[in-house]
Amino acid sequence: GTRFIFASDEFYLLAGQQLPSDEAYEGYQMLENGVGMIRDFLSSPVPQLPSSIPSPKKIILATGKLFAPVLEKAIESLHSIKNLEIEVRMMTNYTFGEVTTVTGLLAGKDFLQQIKPAEADLLLVSPNVLKFGTETLLDDLTLDDLRQQLDMDIQVGGSNIAELFQTILGQGSNVVEPQFGYSTHALKENQ
């Protein structure tokens, strides 16, 4: 009564195939292994979008090469909001090598090398780049280190598309649990 094999999200993306439905992941039991993370991220309902925001704002969504095309498509509706300029920045992983394409293995120096100081009003990073319970990245740089060196506001974007949209629109609390180093599935069950 269960699937014997669950392919990782990377398998589907590299093969150019659609991700399975939400039900196919049977409760996301292997979420922390990259099995269903993207489907889970996309499955939450997005908030109603305003036609404009009060003042001009430029936001960069920094992500790994593998997820960038998915994220670009997921945020298409945000491009119609007046005064909002939003860019999905596909980051190269110089820390572990360019063949490493997942977002969760980006280090602080990768952000510093590919984002110019004061380039945007807000930089949003994935909670997957942070060590559990901290605002520390893999190379021990912190979000405060990045804020200081990049001279811009930096926040965690959200663990699903609804949280990301709320953060972009200034509607969220921006209290997002880092997802590096623990079971995402266990956190989902405890919510």
Side-chain angles (χ1 to χ4, degrees):
T2 186
R3 295 172 71 180
F4 178 67
I5 296 174
F6 292 84
S8 71
D9 295 355
E10 185 175 13
F11 176 84
Y12 292 101
L13 295 177
L14 292 175
Q17 300 295 312
Q18 282 194 326
L19 295 169
S21 68
D22 187 55
E23 298 78 27
Y25 290 102
E26 299 179 14
Y28 296 99
Q29 297 178 27
M30 297 188 350
L31 197 60
E32 65 271 13
N33 294 325
V35 177
M37 288 181 83
I38 295 174
R39 174 58 63 213
D40 186 53
F41 178 84
L42 296 172
S43 65
S44 60
V46 297
Q48 185 171 358
L49 301 179
S51 59
S52 67
I53 57 174
S55 56
K57 188 175 197 178
K58 180 178 180 180
I59 300 174
I60 296 173
L61 305 176
T63 190
K65 287 184 176 184
L66 191 63
F67 188 59
V70 174
L71 185 57
E72 184 66 59
K73 186 174 181 180
I75 64 139
E76 281 178 350
S77 60
L78 294 173
H79 293 296
S80 66
I81 299 174
K82 185 179 178 185
N83 286 329
L84 178 62
E85 181 183 346
I86 192 160
E87 173 195 348
V88 173
R89 179 74 53 93
M90 184 174 7
M91 305 288 289
T92 299
N93 193 318
Y94 294 117
T95 303
F96 295 106
E98 294 184 30
V99 296
T100 305
T101 59
V102 297
T103 304
L105 292 176
L106 291 169
K109 72 177 184 178
D110 294 317
F111 294 97
L112 294 175
Q113 290 175 339
Q114 297 172 70
I115 297 173
K116 296 175 187 163
E119 180 179 358
D121 300 301
L122 175 63
L123 170 63
L124 293 179
V125 299
S126 168
N128 295 327
V129 302
L130 301 173
K131 294 179 184 178
F132 175 67
T134 72
E135 288 195 348
T136 305
L137 291 96
L138 289 174
D139 57 0
D140 292 328
L141 287 173
T142 66
L143 291 184
D144 280 339
D145 293 333
L146 295 183
R147 288 179 186 110
Q148 184 177 15
Q149 292 184 50
L150 292 175
D151 190 29
M152 70 177 76
D153 186 17
I154 300 174
Q155 296 181 27
V156 178
S159 59
N160 61 51
I161 193 72
E163 289 176 0
L164 176 64
F165 275 40
Q166 290 168 343
T167 302
I168 290 168
L169 299 173
Q171 301 168 346
S173 66
N174 199 39
V175 177
V176 178
E177 289 288 331
Q179 295 186 11
F180 180 81
Y182 75 102
S183 168
T184 307
H185 179 66
L187 178 69
K188 283 180 62 88
E189 286 183 343
N190 291 325
Q191 289 180 346

